[in-house]
């Protein structure tokens, strides 16, 4: 039979059925949109932090580093729960400080805020090392030839940082797509692949236990 000759036909058919599912397509679109948005914002904020750390002289650099690294060492659910307590319907800032009665932190915007805060330190650590490896003589040569700080940044620093920025974006994009804890806590009705896979796993496990 066809199944004997091609034992993986049923498996491939299941994959195709899943890819054609409207729910899957919507979840995939949600996940990619979230990943691109958080990846871009995390890379941008991480670059700003890294640039300030590498080029600006300040007595608060140690505090600056500690604050930027806190999201990495904190447990996965802490930032999401903190966002709910601060900006939720009964949040300290939204309800008690500004008197907003119908604040809604759940969904896409809340996820973007929490995941950007969670993953921008990854981009910051990556870009800080790259910025400190740039040869200062290149920027000094541009400045000596009359280029302004913005011109030097645009024509010297930024092109040298382009591969690092791409790496930071891809890394934070992957971290966002694979994240399960934040979408589970603060995602609301905004489904992602990680939460959808977990839901399907629970459903299949429940059906198997009922079948037994």
């Amino acid at each position: 039979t066809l199944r004997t000759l091609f034992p993986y036909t049923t498996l491939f058919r299941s994959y195709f059925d899943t890819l054609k599912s409207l729910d899957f397509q919507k979840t995939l679109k949600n996940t990619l949109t979230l990943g691109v948005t958080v990846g871009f914002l995390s890379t941008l904020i991480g670059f700003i932090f890294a640039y300030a750390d590498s080029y600006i002289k300040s007595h608060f650099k140690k505090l600056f580093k500690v604050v930027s690294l806190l999201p990495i060492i904190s447990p996965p659910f802490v930032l999401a729960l903190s966002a709910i307590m601060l900006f939720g319907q009964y949040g300290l800032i939204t309800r008690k400080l500004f008197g907003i009665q119908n604040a809604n932190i759940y969904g896409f915007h809340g996820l973007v805020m929490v995941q950007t805060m969670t993953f921008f330190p990854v981009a910051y650590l990556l870009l800080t090392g790259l910025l400190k490896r740039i040869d200062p003589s290149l920027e000094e040569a541009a400045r000596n030839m009359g280029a302004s700080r913005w011109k030097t940044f645009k024509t010297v620093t930024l092109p040298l940082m382009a591969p690092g920025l791409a790496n930071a974006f891809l890394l934070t994009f992957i971290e966002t797509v694979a994240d399960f804890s934040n979408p589970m806590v603060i995602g609301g009705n905004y489904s992602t692949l990680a939460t959808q896979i977990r839901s399907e796993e629970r459903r299949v496990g429940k059906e198997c236990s009922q079948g037994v």
Side-chain angles (χ1 to χ4, degrees), residues 78-93:
V78 167
L79 282 177
L81 294 175
S82 300
I84 294 172
M85 293 178 65
L86 292 174
F87 304 104
Q89 187 173 2
Y90 298 96
L92 295 174
I93 294 178

Side-chain angles (χ1 to χ4, degrees), residues 59-167:
H59 298 292
F60 300 100
K61 276 193 174 183
K62 291 184 178 179
L63 179 62
F64 194 72
K65 290 181 179 180
V66 170
V67 171
S68 62
L69 294 179
L70 278 177
I72 293 181
I73 61 177
S74 62
F77 296 98
V78 167
L79 282 177
L81 294 175
S82 300
I84 294 172
M85 293 178 65
L86 292 174
F87 304 104
Q89 187 173 2
Y90 298 96
L92 295 174
I93 294 178
T94 51
R95 185 76 174 247
K96 295 187 177 180
L97 189 60
F98 293 107
I100 301 175
Q101 302 290 331
N102 56 348
N104 184 13
I105 190 66
Y106 299 96
F108 176 74
H109 295 93
L111 267 176
V112 168
M113 181 183 71
V114 170
Q115 289 189 319
T116 300
M117 292 174 61
T118 302
F119 298 125
F120 91 86
V122 177
Y124 161 72
L125 290 175
L126 176 63
L127 297 174
T128 299
L130 294 176
L131 278 172
K132 291 182 177 179
R133 292 179 184 175
I134 294 178
D135 189 356
S137 61
L138 297 175
E139 297 175 328
E140 291 175 2
R143 294 285 292 161
N144 291 335
M145 293 178 67
S148 63
R149 290 185 180 275
W150 170 248
K151 185 79 171 179
T152 303
F153 172 78
K154 187 172 65 173
T155 59
V156 178
T157 308
L158 198 58
L160 292 173
M161 289 295 299
L165 291 171
N167 288 338

Side-chain angles (χ1 to χ4, degrees), residues 4-78:
T4 305
L5 294 174
F6 302 99
Y8 298 106
T9 303
T10 305
L11 178 62
F12 289 140
R13 186 179 302 165
S14 300
Y15 280 125
F16 287 128
D17 290 341
T18 302
L19 291 174
K20 290 189 293 184
S21 171
L22 294 179
D23 290 338
F24 174 80
Q25 292 176 7
K26 180 182 177 181
T27 303
L28 179 62
K29 182 180 177 181
N30 289 347
T31 305
L32 294 178
T33 302
L34 183 65
V36 171
T37 305
V38 174
F40 174 77
L41 292 176
S42 298
T43 304
L44 177 62
I45 297 173
F47 179 74
I48 293 173
F49 270 61
Y51 192 87
D53 184 28
S54 301
Y55 287 89
I56 297 177
K57 295 181 179 180
S58 173
H59 298 292
F60 300 100
K61 276 193 174 183
K62 291 184 178 179
L63 179 62
F64 194 72
K65 290 181 179 180
V66 170
V67 171
S68 62
L69 294 179
L70 278 177
I72 293 181
I73 61 177
S74 62
F77 296 98
V78 167

